[in-house]
Amino acid sequence: MKPIEQQVVVITGASSGIGRAVALAFARRQACLVLAARNEVALEQVARDVERLGGRALVVPGDVSQWQQVARLADTAIARFGRIDTWVNNAGINEHAPVADMTIEEIERIIQVDLMGYIYGMKAALAPMRRQRQGTIINVASIVSLRAAPLHAPYVAAKHGIAGFTEALRMELMHEKMPVQLTMVMPSFIDTPLFLNSRSRLGVQPRPVPPVYAPEAVAESVLFAAEHARRDIIVGGQGALVALLQKISPALLDKLMVAGGLMFRTQKTDKPDNGYDNLFQPTPGTGSVTGAWTDESLPYSWYTRHVEHYPERKLAVLGALGCATWLLLRSRGRTTG
Ligand SMILES: NC(=O)c1ccc[n+]([C@@H]2O[C@H](COP(=O)([O-])OP(=O)(O)OC[C@H]3O[C@@H](n4cnc5c(N)ncnc54)[C@H](OP(=O)(O)O)[C@@H]3O)[C@@H](O)[C@H]2O)c1
């Protein structure tokens, strides 16, 4: 894989949150960036920031739910820079509501943007990368790709769909010995405007479930994946724990998430909803990287940096956790025995 300084990188959803943090992180490494989202004003601001940090930027406004617009994004990147080294699928929307309260139109829109948008991105990136016989597609999925959470079922379905599509495509590429890398980056809960942009039928403003991480923690993993071939990277230790529990007992995890209304309470603030969402139109203004939880957000995940980025260490960590649990249980047995 090329050093980031020599890469041409396409980023969808670059006007806000994680995508914007990813763009700025690539810019600090002097990459050539192609920035996509619907809000052109915000993208132009990101482009100025990218250039100020030492990168090069091309703004291509568009809606990822439209195949023609995603295909045009790839064509424009190739016309300007001659190749695409890394394609980051990241644009996303959400709605917080029980399924019973969602309309079919809302459900279809979320699937169209959050799943079809990623599939279009993979299709659009694949053609030039196959010609080049080189490239990396990074799908910013979610921990809910591995384990569902209530109150945003279509989003969860889309993220599960990304995992399935990515896995199937990866095997096809392996089968034909095509050196195109596919990586899923799966964040836990991140302090971005996603929760302010979400359509809410909870009666209150939704929020990320603590512990919350800064968008830069995800950007770090996306940049890592652009230089190191990895299958998937979970961002945040809490996400890794959920993934482990899901492997051990999904039924137990159902009970834990519902017990005392855990995953229902923790996704709500006590503030009224802002009455705004970006399902069918972009967020106005110049946008931002962070949401409303910067005070409580962790700058990075130690677990992700030291374990997820180096999966060969996972067994050692699991072994250490197993030993610690055994020692704890043994000492408790002694004191009670
Ligand atoms: N925040 C979290 O806790 C979290 C956790 C796990 C995964 N993620 C994932 O991270 C990704 C980025 O989310 P975020 O948290 O950074 O949210 P965000 O701040 O709301 O950013 C979403 C981005 O997607 C763009 N977008 C939305 N609909 C679009 C469309 N139809 N066409 C093109 N662009 C569109 C938005 O720009 P415009 O409005 O200008 O189009 C914006 O740039 C999403 O895929 C999300 O699922 C987030």
Side-chain angles (χ1 to χ4, degrees):
M1 287 163 125
K2 289 181 193 165
I4 281 169
E5 289 75 4
Q6 294 169 23
Q7 290 198 17
V8 176
V9 182
V10 177
I11 305 167
T12 71
S15 62
S16 174
I18 292 169
R20 191 166 175 146
V22 167
L24 299 180
F26 272 115
R28 287 188 190 95
R29 298 275 311 272
Q30 284 85 52
C32 291
L33 300 177
V34 183
L35 309 171
R38 294 164 299 175
N39 178 347
E40 193 170 357
V41 173
L43 286 179
E44 292 293 355
Q45 180 60 53
V46 180
R48 281 192 291 277
D49 293 344
V50 163
E51 306 260 346
R52 189 173 43 77
L53 290 168
R56 288 166 70 194
L58 173 67
V59 165
V60 186
D63 188 326
V64 295
S65 70
Q66 305 296 316
W67 161 244
Q68 296 303 341
Q69 297 189 30
V70 181
R72 189 176 67 87
L73 171 60
D75 291 346
T76 311
I78 296 285
R80 172 68 182 268
F81 293 117
R83 63 179 199 282
I84 299 170
D85 299 298
T86 296
W87 180 293
V88 184
N89 277 316
N90 165 80
I93 52 172
N94 202 359
E95 172 171 2
H96 285 78
V99 173
D101 295 343
M102 289 182 180
T103 67
I104 289 299
E105 192 195 20
E106 290 163 353
I107 293 170
E108 283 176 353
R109 177 65 180 167
I110 292 164
I111 297 293
Q112 190 63 32
V113 173
D114 292 359
L115 177 57
M116 292 311 297
Y118 277 54
I119 292 175
Y120 295 158
M122 284 185 260
K123 275 290 283 177
L126 212 51
M129 288 183 181
R130 285 169 68 92
R131 277 197 304 274
Q132 298 162 187
R133 292 195 63 80
Q134 171 264 333
T136 301
I137 300 172
I138 300 171
N139 289 326
V140 179
S142 166
I143 194 60
V144 302
S145 297
L146 303 177
R147 164 69 216 189
L151 297 180
H152 46 278
Y155 176 93
V156 169
K159 296 296 181 185
H160 269 63
I162 293 167
F165 196 96
T166 305
E167 201 164 64
L169 176 57
R170 181 185 293 114
M171 287 186 288
E172 292 176 12
L173 293 167
M174 283 166 71
H175 179 66
E176 58 173 313
K177 298 190 171 44
M178 177 59 65
V180 171
Q181 173 66 26
L182 266 169
T183 302
M184 279 219 308
V185 172
M186 294 177 282
S188 306
F189 287 90
I190 312 298
D191 169 35
T192 72
L194 184 75
F195 304 87
L196 307 169
N197 292 336
S198 176
R199 184 169 285 190
S200 171
R201 291 196 200 283
L202 304 178
V204 292
Q205 187 69 50
R207 60 153 294 148
V209 177
V212 179
Y213 293 90
E216 288 77 11
V218 186
E220 182 179 320
S221 289
V222 170
L223 260 72
F224 185 85
E227 282 186 315
H228 305 84
R230 293 290 183 270
R231 190 175 196 278
D232 29 51
I233 297 173
I234 293 176
V235 180
Q238 145 225 31
L241 182 65
V242 167
L244 181 66
L245 287 173
Q246 171 74 358
K247 276 195 184 138
I248 295 168
S249 172
L252 174 67
L253 202 46
D254 291 345
K255 289 193 179 119
L256 289 175
M257 284 184 157
V258 175
L262 180 69
M263 284 304 286
F264 294 82
R265 277 186 293 107
T266 51
Q267 295 194 75
K268 293 179 188 170
T269 63
D270 53 9
K271 297 192 183 80
D273 175 45
N274 59 8
Y276 163 80
D277 69 74
N278 70 347
L279 257 56
F280 296 95
Q281 75 292 314
T283 317
T286 50
S288 69
V289 169
T290 51
W293 297 272
T294 309
D295 287 354
E296 63 180 90
S297 71
L298 302 165
Y300 72 95
S301 162
W302 184 94
Y303 165 80
T304 298
R305 194 178 274 180
H306 296 287
V307 182
E308 285 289 323
H309 287 183
Y310 303 97
E312 67 280 5
R313 295 180 187 165
K314 275 186 191 170
L315 266 183
V317 169
L318 271 177
L321 275 176
C323 285
T325 313
W326 181 74
L327 285 171
L328 190 75
L329 291 174
R330 207 175 66 144
S331 69
R332 281 211 174 152
R334 277 196 185 141
T335 47
T336 53

